[in-house]
C-alpha cells in the first residue's frame, strides 16, 4: 500500500527473493523481508529513504565441503537503509546524494559484514 499526504508518501511492501541454481546448489537461498519507502518532495527538494529488514536462509548442500552444516554460506539477518537526496541551489546549481548502509548478521559470526556506499554530486544546469 502507498499512503500520500500531498508532498509526502509512504509505501510498504514485502520483499521476497528465491535463488535455486541447478549448477551451484550451495548458492541456493530464500529471502524474506519487509521494506518501506518514504518520499518527500517540497520546495525544490526530493528526499527518498528506504529502510529494509529481512532474513536470507541458505539451503543445505550435502556436496559442499567448506562448512560442517553442509552449506557454502551461513544464513543471516540483514538491515539496510538507502537514501537519495536532490536539492536545488541558487544560480541553476543542484546538489545530490545517494547512499546505502547495510549490516548482515550471520549465523556464523565470522561472516558478519557491514558496508557503506555513498556519492555526492554538485552540478550546474545549462
Amino acid at each position: 500500500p502507498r499512503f500520500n499526504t500531498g508532498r509526502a508518501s509512504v509505501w510498504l511492501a514485502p520483499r521476497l527473493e528465491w535463488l535455486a541454481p541447478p549448477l551451484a546448489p550451495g548458492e541456493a537461498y530464500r529471502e524474506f523481508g519487509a521494506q518501506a519507502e518514504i518520499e518527500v518532495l517540497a520546495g525544490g527538494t526530493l528526499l527518498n529513504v528506504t529502510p529494509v529488514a529481512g532474513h536470507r536462509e541458505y539451503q543445505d548442500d550435502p556436496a559442499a565441503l567448506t562448512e560442517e552444516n553442509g552449506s557454502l554460506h551461513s544464513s543471516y539477518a540483514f538491515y539496510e537503509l538507502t537514501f537519495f537526496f536532490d536539492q536545488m541551489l541558487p544560480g541553476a546549481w543542484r546538489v545530490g546524494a545517494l547512499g546505502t548502509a547495510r549490516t548482515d548478521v550471520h549465523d556464523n559470526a565470522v561472516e558478519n559484514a557491514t558496508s557503506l556506499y555513498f556519492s555526492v554530486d554538485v552540478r550546474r544546469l545549462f
Side-chain angles (χ1 to χ4, degrees):
R2 180 176 287 276
F3 307 97
N4 292 308
T5 62
R7 297 178 185 214
S9 69
V10 176
W11 170 75
L12 305 169
R15 179 172 167 154
L16 307 169
E17 192 172 317
W18 175 50
L19 178 66
L23 298 178
E27 298 293 328
Y29 66 82
R30 291 189 182 114
E31 183 175 294
F32 304 93
Q35 64 187 44
E37 180 182 84
I38 300 106
E39 190 169 81
V40 178
L41 178 60
T45 301
L46 170 63
L47 174 63
N48 181 290
V49 178
T50 306
V52 179
H55 188 268
R56 179 175 288 187
E57 184 71 35
Y58 281 95
Q59 308 304 301
D60 288 336
D61 176 15
L65 302 175
T66 59
E67 295 286 336
E68 290 179 13
N69 67 3
S71 179
L72 294 172
H73 306 282
S74 70
S75 298
Y76 63 90
F78 61 90
Y79 310 95
E80 182 177 301
L81 182 67
T82 299
F83 74 91
F84 174 77
F85 172 79
D86 189 75
Q87 172 67 52
M88 291 174 45
L89 298 173
W93 289 88
R94 295 188 78 85
V95 62
L98 174 65
T100 298
R102 181 179 169 113
T103 296
D104 298 340
V105 182
H106 285 258
D107 293 348
N108 180 357
V110 76
E111 295 182 51
N112 288 352
T114 299
S115 58
L116 174 63
Y117 302 95
F118 66 92
S119 67
V120 176
D121 68 273
V122 178
R123 57 195 177 274
R124 183 158 181 353
L125 303 176
F126 296 98

